[in-house]
Amino acid sequence: KDNYEAVFFVLETICMIWFTMDLLLRFCVCPSRKDFCRNLMNWVDVVSIVPFYLELMVPSRVQVLLVIRIIRFTKIFRIFKLSRHFRGLIALGFGTEALS
C-alpha cells in the first residue's frame, strides 16, 4: 500500500507543478491581468492548486486537512475545463468523480 501511495504522491506532485506553471505562465503573458483575475475559471484553477501546497506545509493530519481535501475536489472542475479540448478526458473526469 505504501508503494502505491508514493507513486500517486509523485504523480500528483508532477501534475500540480504542471498546473501551477500553467497558471503562472498564463498570468505572466496575459495582456490584461485585471481581466485574468476576473475570470472565474482562473479562480477555479487557483482554488484547485492552493490546497496541495497547504497540505505540504501542514505536516500533521488535523481536522483542518479535511476542509482542504474538500476544497481539492475542485480539481474535477479543472478536468472538465480540459475536456473541452480532449474528448477522452470526459470519461476520465466521470471516473475520477465516481471514485471520490
Side-chain angles (χ1 to χ4, degrees):
K1 182 178 178 182
D2 291 333
N3 191 25
Y4 290 116
E5 289 178 11
V7 169
F8 282 119
F9 177 75
V10 169
L11 182 62
E12 180 182 29
T13 302
I14 291 169
C15 290
M16 293 311 293
I17 290 170
W18 181 268
F19 289 147
T20 303
M21 289 175 50
D22 171 58
L23 182 66
L24 292 175
L25 287 173
R26 285 188 291 124
F27 180 75
C28 289
V29 300
C30 183
S32 171
R33 292 193 175 130
K34 185 187 253 187
D35 290 340
F36 183 89
C37 292
R38 288 182 182 167
N39 187 335
L40 178 64
M41 291 310 291
N42 292 328
W43 282 104
V44 168
D45 292 345
V46 169
V47 169
S48 67
I49 290 171
V50 167
F52 173 77
Y53 295 107
L54 288 177
E55 273 192 13
L56 289 179
M57 288 188 276
V58 179
S60 64
R61 301 286 180 199
V62 293
Q63 193 68 10
V64 176
L65 290 181
L66 178 61
V67 174
I68 292 172
R69 288 176 191 257
I70 292 170
I71 293 172
R72 289 183 69 194
F73 185 72
T74 59
K75 286 184 195 178
I76 290 178
F77 294 122
R78 185 127 177 68
I79 291 172
F80 287 135
K81 180 182 171 187
L82 290 173
S83 69
R84 292 182 306 190
H85 305 291
F86 305 102
R87 294 222 182 249
L89 286 177
I90 294 173
L92 176 66
F94 286 125
T96 305
E97 185 176 70
L99 292 174
S100 296

